[in-house]
PDB file of all heavy atoms in Angstrom:
ATOM      1  N   ARG F  50       4.599  -8.654  -1.293  1.00 94.00           N
ATOM      2  CA  ARG F  50       3.645  -9.764  -1.226  1.00 94.00           C
ATOM      3  C   ARG F  50       4.117 -10.722  -0.152  1.00 94.00           C
ATOM      4  O   ARG F  50       5.304 -10.996  -0.045  1.00 94.00           O
ATOM      5  CB  ARG F  50       3.529 -10.482  -2.584  1.00 94.00           C
ATOM      6  CG  ARG F  50       2.401 -11.536  -2.637  1.00 94.00           C
ATOM      7  CD  ARG F  50       2.188 -12.094  -4.049  1.00 94.00           C
ATOM      8  NE  ARG F  50       1.828 -11.066  -4.990  1.00 94.00           N
ATOM      9  CZ  ARG F  50       0.585 -10.561  -5.145  1.00 94.00           C
ATOM     10  NH1 ARG F  50      -0.403 -10.998  -4.398  1.00 94.00           N
ATOM     11  NH2 ARG F  50       0.363  -9.618  -6.024  1.00 94.00           N
ATOM     12  N   ASN F  51       3.193 -11.181   0.695  1.00 94.00           N
ATOM     13  CA  ASN F  51       3.610 -12.073   1.773  1.00 94.00           C
ATOM     14  C   ASN F  51       3.528 -13.543   1.339  1.00 94.00           C
ATOM     15  O   ASN F  51       3.104 -13.848   0.219  1.00 94.00           O
ATOM     16  CB  ASN F  51       2.818 -11.791   3.056  1.00 94.00           C
ATOM     17  CG  ASN F  51       1.332 -12.144   2.930  1.00 94.00           C
ATOM     18  OD1 ASN F  51       0.949 -12.955   2.101  1.00 94.00           O
ATOM     19  ND2 ASN F  51       0.511 -11.527   3.768  1.00 94.00           N
ATOM     20  N   ALA F  52       3.949 -14.428   2.228  1.00 91.00           N
ATOM     21  CA  ALA F  52       4.042 -15.857   1.900  1.00 91.00           C
ATOM     22  C   ALA F  52       2.667 -16.465   1.609  1.00 91.00           C
ATOM     23  O   ALA F  52       2.563 -17.486   0.928  1.00 91.00           O
ATOM     24  CB  ALA F  52       4.724 -16.608   3.040  1.00 91.00           C
ATOM     25  N   GLU F  53       1.603 -15.843   2.081  1.00 92.00           N
ATOM     26  CA  GLU F  53       0.238 -16.369   1.870  1.00 92.00           C
ATOM     27  C   GLU F  53      -0.371 -15.909   0.542  1.00 92.00           C
ATOM     28  O   GLU F  53      -1.533 -16.201   0.246  1.00 92.00           O
ATOM     29  CB  GLU F  53      -0.682 -15.958   3.024  1.00 92.00           C
ATOM     30  CG  GLU F  53      -0.384 -16.660   4.354  1.00 92.00           C
ATOM     31  CD  GLU F  53       0.825 -16.062   5.066  1.00 92.00           C
ATOM     32  OE1 GLU F  53       0.961 -14.829   5.090  1.00 92.00           O
ATOM     33  OE2 GLU F  53       1.654 -16.846   5.565  1.00 92.00           O
ATOM     34  N   GLY F  54       0.399 -15.107  -0.241  1.00 93.00           N
ATOM     35  CA  GLY F  54      -0.108 -14.689  -1.546  1.00 93.00           C
ATOM     36  C   GLY F  54      -0.906 -13.393  -1.534  1.00 93.00           C
ATOM     37  O   GLY F  54      -1.495 -13.016  -2.544  1.00 93.00           O
ATOM     38  N   PHE F  55      -0.918 -12.700  -0.382  1.00 96.00           N
ATOM     39  CA  PHE F  55      -1.575 -11.392  -0.338  1.00 96.00           C
ATOM     40  C   PHE F  55      -0.545 -10.305  -0.649  1.00 96.00           C
ATOM     41  O   PHE F  55       0.517 -10.259  -0.027  1.00 96.00           O
ATOM     42  CB  PHE F  55      -2.209 -11.129   1.040  1.00 96.00           C
ATOM     43  CG  PHE F  55      -2.847  -9.772   1.129  1.00 96.00           C
ATOM     44  CD1 PHE F  55      -4.063  -9.516   0.501  1.00 96.00           C
ATOM     45  CD2 PHE F  55      -2.220  -8.725   1.808  1.00 96.00           C
ATOM     46  CE1 PHE F  55      -4.645  -8.249   0.548  1.00 96.00           C
ATOM     47  CE2 PHE F  55      -2.793  -7.463   1.855  1.00 96.00           C
ATOM     48  CZ  PHE F  55      -4.011  -7.225   1.225  1.00 96.00           C
ATOM     49  N   GLY F  56      -0.849  -9.445  -1.613  1.00 97.00           N
ATOM     50  CA  GLY F  56       0.104  -8.426  -2.029  1.00 97.00           C
ATOM     51  C   GLY F  56      -0.492  -7.045  -2.109  1.00 97.00           C
ATOM     52  O   GLY F  56      -1.705  -6.879  -2.293  1.00 97.00           O
ATOM     53  N   ILE F  57       0.368  -6.057  -1.928  1.00 98.00           N
ATOM     54  CA  ILE F  57      -0.013  -4.652  -2.078  1.00 98.00           C
ATOM     55  C   ILE F  57       0.990  -4.003  -3.022  1.00 98.00           C
ATOM     56  O   ILE F  57       2.199  -4.102  -2.802  1.00 98.00           O
ATOM     57  CB  ILE F  57       0.005  -3.908  -0.725  1.00 98.00           C
ATOM     58  CG1 ILE F  57      -0.906  -4.598   0.299  1.00 98.00           C
ATOM     59  CG2 ILE F  57      -0.413  -2.450  -0.912  1.00 98.00           C
ATOM     60  CD1 ILE F  57      -0.885  -3.952   1.693  1.00 98.00           C
ATOM     61  N   THR F  58       0.493  -3.381  -4.072  1.00 97.00           N
ATOM     62  CA  THR F  58       1.333  -2.594  -4.965  1.00 97.00           C
ATOM     63  C   THR F  58       0.789  -1.172  -4.972  1.00 97.00           C
ATOM     64  O   THR F  58      -0.400  -0.957  -5.230  1.00 97.00           O
ATOM     65  CB  THR F  58       1.325  -3.166  -6.396  1.00 97.00           C
ATOM     66  OG1 THR F  58       1.879  -4.484  -6.361  1.00 97.00           O
ATOM     67  CG2 THR F  58       2.170  -2.303  -7.339  1.00 97.00           C
ATOM     68  N   VAL F  59       1.658  -0.224  -4.657  1.00 98.00           N
ATOM     69  CA  VAL F  59       1.244   1.174  -4.629  1.00 98.00           C
ATOM     70  C   VAL F  59       2.033   1.910  -5.701  1.00 98.00           C
ATOM     71  O   VAL F  59       3.264   1.872  -5.706  1.00 98.00           O
ATOM     72  CB  VAL F  59       1.506   1.819  -3.250  1.00 98.00           C
ATOM     73  CG1 VAL F  59       0.885   3.203  -3.182  1.00 98.00           C
ATOM     74  CG2 VAL F  59       0.950   0.951  -2.123  1.00 98.00           C
ATOM     75  N   SER F  60       1.334   2.548  -6.629  1.00 98.00           N
ATOM     76  CA  SER F  60       2.032   3.337  -7.646  1.00 98.00           C
ATOM     77  C   SER F  60       1.614   4.799  -7.550  1.00 98.00           C
ATOM     78  O   SER F  60       0.508   5.115  -7.119  1.00 98.00           O
ATOM     79  CB  SER F  60       1.791   2.780  -9.052  1.00 98.00           C
ATOM     80  OG  SER F  60       0.430   2.813  -9.390  1.00 98.00           O
ATOM     81  N   TYR F  61       2.549   5.672  -7.929  1.00 98.00           N
ATOM     82  CA  TYR F  61       2.374   7.111  -7.768  1.00 98.00           C
ATOM     83  C   TYR F  61       2.456   7.770  -9.131  1.00 98.00           C
ATOM     84  O   TYR F  61       3.321   7.414  -9.950  1.00 98.00           O
ATOM     85  CB  TYR F  61       3.451   7.664  -6.827  1.00 98.00           C
ATOM     86  CG  TYR F  61       3.471   6.956  -5.492  1.00 98.00           C
ATOM     87  CD1 TYR F  61       4.366   5.923  -5.239  1.00 98.00           C
ATOM     88  CD2 TYR F  61       2.567   7.301  -4.492  1.00 98.00           C
ATOM     89  CE1 TYR F  61       4.361   5.243  -4.022  1.00 98.00           C
ATOM     90  CE2 TYR F  61       2.556   6.631  -3.264  1.00 98.00           C
ATOM     91  CZ  TYR F  61       3.462   5.610  -3.044  1.00 98.00           C
ATOM     92  OH  TYR F  61       3.451   4.939  -1.849  1.00 98.00           O
ATOM     93  N   TRP F  62       1.570   8.734  -9.369  1.00 98.00           N
ATOM     94  CA  TRP F  62       1.386   9.332 -10.683  1.00 98.00           C
ATOM     95  C   TRP F  62       1.204  10.828 -10.581  1.00 98.00           C
ATOM     96  O   TRP F  62       0.719  11.340  -9.567  1.00 98.00           O
ATOM     97  CB  TRP F  62       0.146   8.713 -11.358  1.00 98.00           C
ATOM     98  CG  TRP F  62       0.262   7.238 -11.537  1.00 98.00           C
ATOM     99  CD1 TRP F  62      -0.029   6.270 -10.612  1.00 98.00           C
ATOM    100  CD2 TRP F  62       0.733   6.540 -12.706  1.00 98.00           C
ATOM    101  NE1 TRP F  62       0.227   5.023 -11.134  1.00 98.00           N
ATOM    102  CE2 TRP F  62       0.691   5.159 -12.415  1.00 98.00           C
ATOM    103  CE3 TRP F  62       1.170   6.962 -13.956  1.00 98.00           C
ATOM    104  CZ2 TRP F  62       1.084   4.191 -13.335  1.00 98.00           C
ATOM    105  CZ3 TRP F  62       1.550   5.999 -14.879  1.00 98.00           C
ATOM    106  CH2 TRP F  62       1.509   4.635 -14.566  1.00 98.00           C
TER     107      TRP F  62
END
Side-chain angles (χ1 to χ4, degrees):
Chain F
R50 188 172 300 279
N51 67 23
E53 290 78 42
F55 178 75
I57 304 177
T58 297
V59 188
S60 61
Y61 305 97
W62 300 84

